[in-house]
Amino acid sequence: MRVTTFAEEVYAVVRAVPPGRVTTYGTIARLLGRVRGARQVGWAMRHSADDVPAQRVVGAGGHLSGGWAFGHPSVQRTLLEDEGVAFVGPERCDLDAHGWPDADEAAAWETEQAAGQP
DNA sequence: GCCTTGACGGCAA
DNA sequence: GTTGCCGCCAAGG
């Protein structure tokens, strides 16, 4: 189905992020083939649906770029900590330990996408 | 059809 | 370590 817009694809990726893990805008963009489309990912997240765990999407280095979208960055931080995500600073999560996808998971994701969308 | 906006990323000063 | 600027793609007005 190519009717899906860029935003829809972004949502699909975000929903694929398991609890206790976090991903970045740049990573999502890269998974979609838009290496420099991190901005569009952010644009899409701004229109995020309710079933999209936007709290798992952070900026480069695990920085809570869109924390204010939850009312206050501390809200997003609390949500992630509740899922088991460790934080290095007040607004920075530990991407090294909870970053998604992992090298192995990235391959699985690409395989799944290749199989579903030839 | 053109211009502006936007939850970003990376590099330079 | 911080702050600022440019580049990029997509959608809205």
Side-chain angles (χ1 to χ4, degrees):
Chain A
M1 302 273 273
R2 294 273 94 193
V3 296
T4 56
T5 64
F6 184 81
E8 290 296 327
E9 294 185 48
V10 172
Y11 302 152
V13 176
V14 177
R15 282 185 297 221
V17 180
R21 307 296 287 281
V22 293
T23 190
T24 68
Y25 298 92
T27 299
I28 294 171
R30 189 165 300 198
L31 286 174
L32 297 178
R34 277 68 170 184
V35 183
R36 279 139 194 167
R39 237 177 173 183
Q40 280 50 262
V41 177
W43 177 90
M45 295 314 294
R46 186 172 170 281
H47 288 268
S48 62
D50 294 342
D51 59 323
V52 180
Q55 71 274 18
R56 293 174 195 158
V57 183
V58 298
H63 186 257
L64 302 184
S65 301
W68 288 102
F70 297 85
H72 193 276
S74 64
V75 177
Q76 181 179 9
R77 178 184 162 196
T78 300
L79 288 170
L80 291 174
E81 288 184 313
D82 188 58
E83 294 183 348
V85 178
F87 272 72
V88 181
E91 293 185 8
R92 184 170 169 179
C93 63
D94 192 346
L95 262 184
D96 185 63
H98 303 283
W100 182 94
D102 205 330
D104 191 52
E105 296 171 327
W109 171 262
E110 290 182 36
T111 301
E112 187 178 335
Q113 294 304 300
Q117 299 179 20

